[in-house]
Amino acid sequence: MPSHLTPPEPVLLTVIGRDHPGIASRLTGQLAEAGAELLDIEQVVVQDRLTLCLLVRLPEKGDVLKELLFAAHELGVVLEFQTVPVPGSKPVPSSNRHVVTVVGRKLGAREVHAVTECLAGHLANIERIQRLTETELGSVEFHISLPAGRDPEELKRALLELSMASNTFDVALQRESLYRRSKRLVVMDMDSTLIRIEVIDELARVHGVGEQVSRITERAMQGEMDYDESLRQRVALLKGLDSRVLRDLSSNLPLTEGAETLIPVLKRLGYRTAIISGGFSVAAEALKDRLGIDYAHSNMLEEADGKLTGRTLGPIVNAKRKAELLESIAQAEGILLDQVIAVGDGANDLLMLEKAGLGIAFRAKRKLRQAADTSISSGGLDTILYLLGLTGRELLEARPPPAGTLDRRSSG
């Protein structure tokens, strides 16, 4: 083949320097004027320092590189260039692309090294790193690709072990797909998830049966008793408790850290929210009204003459029922299960977490953390927002304004 018909090798242009308006405009303008072919472009700015990469195929005639170097000098930036092989035409399959999200109070070199070392050990190639938080380095997102045939479950388990050993940051592995940033429904357990307490334990303590209830709970956790039977026995011990105790407790439930950020942001972004709990309806309905949650499903305690009878009404919200309710809400809202997030802390939440597109074990026992898609242990509930891929800047925009102030974003 004649040499003049062979396309010239691509050239990678790397521009480095202080960021300011007009850099990309000037350089791409010169490339366009020279008739260069732009094959790829990427830019990142860290602390006002710009790195702009352009992969181009330059025309054989003219001295485009000399003109680009002169333009870079005038712009006050450094331009480096090198020829590179022709880009591969076969893209990485989407099933091999994943996102690793690391969230902590403050991430440093030690934490980032631990994660990147783990990724390297599993042959994961880091394609892009993005900081999500605005001020301190509190959340970082790694976009990675895995080799063909590599099981992402192995990497997930390794990252989970790393997080549990550190206890200073959470790390999540999610497949990069259309639905990662398009979740539409968030379903949460209530006790020890949305709120910091177990309502039944507090009622039992007031009624003087705290130790008996705790023993039954422990037997159920050890697998010596199924959930339904354990609930019946614990509720029976509450017989005769004044109903006002339940209502007083429900009116002032202590929210888990991050809940007061998570729920308003989800609502503002158009998400539907639900409580699906093995706890009690008086408490769940109180939270529903207080936080503006769309759905609340839980166990109903029977009352007579202002006291608890020691029985429940209707079907018990057990593990199977939780998964069924999640699916029912998603169907009613026209939402795919891949677009659902489920959050819980106990074995009773496992089926619900498995049913959802993203199941999150929140401050849970090791067994649930290993079974869930990901886990949160060191952060609050608002960590979920970073798992959705939201940045700190986006969260500031999504937070509702303080009460009594004018929201200019929604005003006419």
Side-chain angles (χ1 to χ4, degrees):
M1 179 181 291
S3 60
H4 70 274
L5 296 179
T6 304
E9 280 194 302
V11 176
L12 179 63
L13 306 175
T14 304
V15 182
I16 304 169
R18 187 182 65 81
D19 185 35
H20 59 85
I23 296 173
S25 173
R26 174 82 179 272
L27 297 178
T28 55
Q30 287 199 260
L31 290 169
E33 189 174 323
E37 182 183 359
L38 181 62
L39 303 174
D40 198 1
I41 184 168
E42 191 87 29
Q43 176 175 306
V44 64
V45 177
V46 179
Q47 298 293 327
D48 292 328
R49 299 296 295 179
L50 162 82
T51 300
L52 170 63
C53 296
L54 304 106
L55 184 64
V56 299
R57 187 175 273 119
L58 299 175
E60 294 183 0
K61 295 182 179 180
D63 200 349
V64 183
L65 279 177
K66 182 177 179 180
E67 294 170 1
L68 288 168
L69 287 167
F70 180 73
H73 176 73
E74 287 192 329
L75 290 166
V77 296
V78 175
L79 187 147
E80 300 173 352
F81 60 91
Q82 64 182 97
T83 57
V84 295
V86 178
S89 58
K90 191 174 181 181
V92 177
S94 59
S95 59
N96 290 3
R97 293 187 179 277
H98 294 75
V99 175
V100 175
T101 309
V102 185
V103 185
R105 301 294 179 188
K106 186 177 181 180
L107 302 175
R110 187 182 302 276
E111 290 79 15
V112 172
H113 168 68
V115 173
T116 54
E117 184 178 46
C118 182
L119 295 176
H122 286 77
L123 305 181
N125 182 55
I126 299 174
E127 298 181 348
R128 181 159 62 93
I129 301 175
Q130 181 181 7
R131 171 181 177 164
L132 298 180
T133 44
E134 280 295 290
T135 52
E136 290 186 339
L137 190 62
S139 182
V140 178
E141 197 174 75
F142 298 85
H143 291 248
I144 67 168
S145 59
L146 291 172
R150 194 82 185 189
D151 185 3
E153 285 297 311
E154 294 180 6
L155 177 57
K156 190 194 89 169
R157 287 192 293 270
L159 290 171
L160 175 62
E161 291 297 329
L162 183 66
S163 173
M164 288 194 292
S166 167
N167 205 34
T168 59
F169 62 86
D170 295 309
V171 58
L173 176 71
Q174 299 180 68
R175 188 169 72 85
E176 180 64 295
S177 71
L178 172 66
Y179 300 115
R180 186 179 75 90
R181 281 179 60 105
S182 62
K183 298 291 191 291
R184 304 312 310 149
L185 169 64
V186 179
V187 171
M188 294 161 284
D189 179 43
M190 179 174 66
D191 299 77
S192 297
T193 300
L194 188 55
I195 59 175
R196 298 197 305 269
I197 62 171
E198 294 281 336
V199 171
I200 195 168
D201 289 347
E202 297 300 311
L203 297 177
R205 183 181 57 78
V206 173
H207 202 44
V209 294
E211 290 186 10
Q212 296 97 306
V213 166
S214 294
R215 282 197 296 268
I216 296 169
T217 300
E218 182 61 27
R219 288 187 61 197
M221 290 177 63
Q222 295 299 327
E224 299 173 7
M225 182 186 305
D226 71 21
Y227 178 81
D228 291 16
E229 181 58 27
S230 71
L231 181 68
R232 291 189 192 99
Q233 290 193 19
R234 285 179 290 172
V235 169
L237 290 168
L238 300 178
K239 182 179 180 179
L241 177 65
D242 194 316
S243 299
R244 286 179 300 180
V245 175
L246 173 60
R247 283 168 173 73
D248 289 345
L249 178 65
S250 300
S251 67
N252 194 30
L253 293 166
L255 296 175
T256 297
E257 174 195 4
E260 288 181 288
T261 297
L262 174 68
I263 303 300
V265 169
L266 290 175
K267 284 168 58 66
R268 193 171 186 86
L269 294 176
Y271 286 73
R272 305 296 279 175
T273 53
I275 295 171
I276 300 181
S277 170
F280 304 131
S281 59
V282 173
E285 289 294 333
L287 281 175
K288 177 176 178 287
D289 294 340
R290 175 178 167 186
L291 297 173
I293 290 171
D294 300 297
Y295 297 89
H297 295 280
S298 53
N299 296 304
M300 182 175 293
L301 292 173
E302 184 183 61
E303 301 177 36
D305 301 323
K307 297 184 182 300
L308 303 184
T309 67
R311 294 187 295 270
T312 60
L313 299 171
I316 290 177
V317 181
N318 53 23
K320 182 173 180 290
R321 179 68 176 151
K322 283 190 169 192
E324 291 171 348
L325 286 166
L326 180 150
E327 191 166 15
S328 175
I329 294 170
Q331 288 178 348
E333 292 287 344
I335 293 171
L336 299 174
L337 291 178
D338 279 338
Q339 295 177 286
V340 180
I341 295 174
V343 190
D345 73 304
N348 195 36
D349 299 308
L350 178 57
L351 296 181
M352 180 173 76
L353 268 57
E354 290 178 342
K355 181 75 69 174
L358 177 62
I360 301 174
F362 183 75
R363 298 181 183 177
K365 295 287 191 294
R366 184 184 185 92
K367 186 174 181 180
L368 185 65
R369 293 175 69 178
Q370 291 175 328
D373 293 317
T374 189
S375 69
I376 297 172
S377 293
S378 60
L381 282 172
D382 52 345
T383 299
I384 293 169
L385 298 169
Y386 290 116
L387 301 187
L388 296 174
L390 296 175
T391 66
R393 185 177 304 170
E394 290 169 335
L395 293 183
L396 287 174
E397 292 180 14
R399 281 192 177 96
T405 63
L406 176 64
D407 184 3
R408 297 184 185 277
R409 291 168 294 185
S410 59
S411 64

